Amino acid sequence: MGQALTIEVRHEQGYAIVTAIGEIDISTVSWLRERLFELAARGRPLVVDLDRVSFIDSAGLAALVGAAKRTDVHSGSLYVACDRPKIRKLFRLTGLDRRIPLARTLDDALEALSAARNAP
């Protein structure tokens, strides 16, 4: 198996930030999916920081899609931050970047979230 996955969650004023560290694959995705779905069901914006993820497979991408759908159902939103070229390329190739806003940095994702919350 690959490198273990660590998930850190911090709650800010009105949103949660999930930082994933390591590899997201079929052997590690269940814990990430559970945490994302639990947070998405709260109806608050959710920011997922993938900048410290060295690998993500289709199971990981599917978990993000599922979390995005769940945030929509609960009137929330999902943003992803990642500057890793390989992961950004996966988002583009799969069209996921059209489904989930993808920012280069956590600060950029938080700015996009703030702009969306303040839009008329």
Side-chain angles (χ1 to χ4, degrees):
M1 298 288 162
Q3 176 184 356
L5 178 65
T6 302
I7 301 165
E8 299 172 354
V9 178
R10 79 177 195 252
H11 298 275
E12 299 291 335
Q13 185 76 8
Y15 59 91
I17 298 173
V18 177
T19 302
I21 305 162
E23 295 183 358
I24 303 172
D25 59 26
I26 192 70
S27 66
T28 62
V29 75
S30 62
W31 174 237
L32 177 64
R33 183 177 37 250
E34 288 172 20
R35 291 299 291 148
L36 290 178
F37 282 26
E38 172 192 324
L39 292 166
R42 295 180 182 177
R44 298 170 66 199
L46 180 58
V47 179
V48 181
D49 184 355
L50 298 178
D51 215 36
R52 294 170 61 189
V53 168
S54 56
F55 175 82
I56 187 168
D57 69 3
S58 60
L61 296 177
L64 291 171
V65 169
K69 288 178 180 177
R70 188 162 290 222
T71 59
D72 287 348
V73 167
H74 294 281
S75 301
S77 56
L78 177 74
Y79 295 81
V80 172
C82 185
D83 196 31
R84 290 183 172 260
K86 287 183 180 182
I87 293 175
R88 292 183 67 82
K89 184 176 181 179
L90 272 177
F91 269 72
R92 281 192 309 276
L93 290 173
T94 60
L96 196 53
D97 61 339
R98 291 187 303 274
R99 173 68 177 90
I100 300 171
L102 177 63
R104 289 201 176 274
T105 67
L106 182 57
D107 286 341
D108 289 347
L110 294 174
E111 283 179 28
L113 168 62
S114 178
R117 292 171 99 184
N118 294 326

